[in-house]
Amino acid sequence: MMTPVQIKVCGVTNIKDARACAELGASMIGFNFYPKSSRYIEPRIARRIIETIPPRVSAVGVFVDASAEDIRTTADAAGVRCVQLHGRTLPDTCSELAREFRVIRAFSMDPRFRPEEVSLFGDCDVLVDAHHPTLRGGTGLTCDWLAARTTRSFARFLILSGGLTKQNVGQAIATVTPHAVDVCSGIESAPGAKDHQALEDFITAVRAASSSRNAFASS
């Protein structure tokens, strides 16, 4: 039987939402440390939130074009042991950080993206997201699912992101067969404010799709 699809909820900014994510079954909760993001959270505030969630839920620090030194400093201040890196972070830097953290290397699927590129980041898990000219995640745009499926063969662990909702996540899972899915704007009432009913509906849809995939694989 295939492993159930994991769920990452990104852009969490408060304790109430973090607890809801944990109680409803999220595996990972993302905290955005990119100052230009509408979901930015200060590391010291993130730490207070992280201290309230169970250890089984992985806290993920999200960074854009940050130096290794800045990533370490912020991650230590917030108390995260997993870092998600957007932008131009090079393979050597990712390998260096992977000795200390679980590293998720994020790729924007712009026209220049090539699935085989992710094989250069063998020490990292991989997240694929839709391309936006100025925003880094949380755009509500879907990515190219067929290209994401191809990317899966080059990644040790693939997280699918980009415009996922309860309406489309089942088809996304069936098409891409990711190890995990990432949701942000699809369950929000406003940037950084999670709609708990939408979150529950999304997780229910993921579980249903995951069960269907397992049933098909075993038939």
Side-chain angles (χ1 to χ4, degrees):
M1 180 178 291
M2 300 178 73
T3 303
V5 177
Q6 295 182 31
I7 298 162
K8 176 175 174 286
V9 180
C10 206
V12 170
T13 60
N14 60 77
I15 288 176
K16 184 178 179 182
D17 288 350
R19 285 178 174 168
C21 291
E23 290 168 3
L24 291 169
S27 303
M28 296 170 271
I29 298 177
F31 299 90
N32 198 320
F33 299 133
Y34 180 48
K36 294 181 181 179
S37 172
S38 58
R39 300 173 182 88
Y40 172 75
I41 185 169
E42 293 182 13
R44 61 183 178 84
I45 297 175
R47 175 179 281 276
R48 290 204 292 266
I49 297 171
I50 292 165
E51 288 172 348
T52 72
I53 60 177
R56 63 174 176 77
V57 180
S58 178
V60 182
V62 180
F63 299 86
V64 178
D65 288 330
S67 68
E69 182 180 356
D70 286 344
I71 290 167
R72 287 190 189 94
T73 299
T74 302
D76 288 345
V80 302
R81 303 310 306 161
C82 177
V83 295
Q84 178 176 311
L85 309 181
H86 293 251
R88 299 180 294 273
T89 311
L90 298 174
D92 287 349
T93 302
C94 289
S95 294
E96 176 189 337
L97 290 168
R99 293 196 288 267
E100 305 168 55
F101 304 96
R102 176 187 178 185
V103 177
I104 300 170
R105 180 62 163 85
F107 290 86
S108 171
M109 301 187 77
D110 62 31
R112 297 168 297 174
F113 173 76
R114 298 293 179 269
E116 60 271 17
E117 291 175 3
V118 308
S119 62
L120 298 173
F121 297 83
D123 296 321
C124 307
D125 297 337
V126 169
L127 180 144
V128 289
D129 198 358
H131 172 67
H132 189 282
T134 58
L135 301 178
R136 298 293 184 268
T139 65
L141 302 173
T142 56
C143 68
D144 183 337
W145 290 347
L146 293 179
R149 182 183 178 91
T150 301
T151 304
R152 188 186 188 281
S153 63
F154 296 99
R156 68 181 188 186
F157 187 94
L158 182 74
I159 305 171
L160 177 66
S161 187
L164 297 179
T165 65
K166 67 177 182 180
Q167 288 87 2
N168 67 11
V169 72
Q171 185 59 44
I173 289 171
T175 302
V176 180
T177 65
H179 299 93
V181 292
D182 177 285
V183 66
C184 185
S185 62
I187 55 161
E188 288 184 330
S189 55
K194 306 308 181 189
D195 180 322
H196 294 188
Q197 185 59 57
L199 173 61
E200 183 174 1
D201 292 346
F202 180 85
I203 290 175
T204 298
V206 172
R207 286 176 174 159
S210 187
S211 295
S212 296
R213 185 177 73 168
N214 284 339
F216 178 80
S218 61
S219 63

